[in-house]
Amino acid sequence: FSWPLHEIRAKEDCGQDYEDIVSEHGFPGPAGHQYMYARLKERAVELIVRRRKTAWRDKVMLLTGICHDDSQRRSGYGGREVNFKGAQMWVNPMYWAGQSFLYHYINKTGVPRNPVAIELGMSGECLCGAFAEKGELEEVGSWFPEVREVIEGLEDELIGREDIPEARQLSKRQRVMLAPQIQAMLAAEEEGKDYDPAAQAEIAQLT
């Protein structure tokens, strides 16, 4: 399609390294998603906007491809098809079109898709793990074993460290495979709440 592609990388261009962040703070849970977004994506977006602006009052339009039926979270974005944040003008032109329309258009016109999205069934854009689902780590590992090795290597590094809460020593991809009561206890710890010491011993055996 000969479209110009300007790639902004979190690590190389913005100094934000996922492995360094996890090594310092542990793996994120749902409450940590906004923090990971700010470090890994938001700073890159801000850099793009700074590069494109030519005057102080300029607004830079950022088009997304999100749809209302992408996920439960995105189903609640109705009425926010256009949003402003400083110089950023976020526009979701395909929000009400729906995934069916988009995939039909992609197949009809031959627009290339990201191979990661094709294999994983999700964007793989962040992979921070904050909202990981059961089986996600296995799915990632089946297509991209080197990525799974990085995640498991970080877990090995974190387990047993006294400066990292137990709730953040395992990626959420691993936690979702634990028994529901253990998940609840880990979530409580992540929120800074106390839980039964006997249960803590049980968690220690699992981790």
Side-chain angles (χ1 to χ4, degrees):
F1 286 84
S2 300
W3 294 340
L5 174 64
H6 303 282
E7 184 179 7
I8 307 294
R9 300 160 298 179
K11 180 178 179 179
E12 292 83 353
D13 299 311
C14 302
Q16 302 301 311
D17 187 340
Y18 174 77
E19 295 178 45
D20 289 346
I21 295 170
V22 172
S23 294
E24 182 178 355
H25 301 285
F27 286 99
H33 175 260
Q34 189 59 37
Y35 174 78
M36 298 301 284
Y37 172 86
R39 296 285 298 270
L40 300 174
K41 185 174 181 180
E42 190 171 50
R43 297 188 187 194
V45 171
E46 291 170 350
L47 179 57
I48 292 173
V49 171
R50 288 197 300 271
R51 290 182 177 179
R52 298 299 299 177
K53 287 180 65 174
T54 58
W56 181 72
R57 292 183 179 275
D58 281 353
K59 301 291 184 184
V60 177
M61 182 184 296
L62 302 165
L63 300 177
T64 84
I66 69 170
C67 299
H68 69 280
D69 53 355
D70 283 342
S71 65
Q72 183 175 356
R73 285 170 57 83
R74 289 182 174 176
S75 68
Y77 290 178
R80 297 164 55 193
E81 293 82 4
V82 179
N83 299 282
F84 289 90
K85 180 182 179 183
Q88 302 170 21
M89 178 184 179
W90 288 90
V91 181
N92 308 321
M94 308 305 297
Y95 183 75
W96 293 110
Q99 287 191 1
S100 178
F101 172 85
L102 289 184
Y103 286 126
H104 176 75
Y105 178 84
I106 288 171
N107 292 332
K108 181 178 179 180
T109 60
V111 174
R113 294 183 61 203
N114 187 327
V116 175
I118 295 174
E119 304 294 0
L120 291 183
M122 60 182 184
S123 71
E125 174 185 16
C126 175
L127 276 185
C128 75
F131 292 109
E133 301 291 341
K134 185 174 181 179
E136 181 176 306
L137 184 60
E138 288 69 26
E139 183 68 17
V140 170
S142 66
W143 295 104
F144 307 99
E146 69 280 5
V147 175
R148 177 172 183 165
E149 289 177 6
V150 170
I151 295 171
E152 292 179 334
L154 287 168
E155 290 177 336
D156 291 340
E157 175 189 331
L158 294 177
I159 289 176
R161 276 180 48 181
E162 295 182 357
D163 61 323
I164 301 293
E166 283 185 312
R168 295 202 294 271
Q169 292 180 11
L170 285 177
S171 72
K172 188 169 183 288
R173 300 176 183 86
Q174 295 283 36
R175 280 185 273 160
V176 293
M177 294 188 293
L178 302 179
Q181 64 269 28
I182 304 301
Q183 293 182 42
M185 293 171 191
L186 286 169
E189 182 181 332
E190 186 173 62
E191 296 173 5
K193 301 176 182 179
D194 295 329
Y195 57 84
D196 191 302
Q200 186 173 0
E202 186 175 356
I203 292 174
Q205 292 180 352
L206 287 171
T207 58

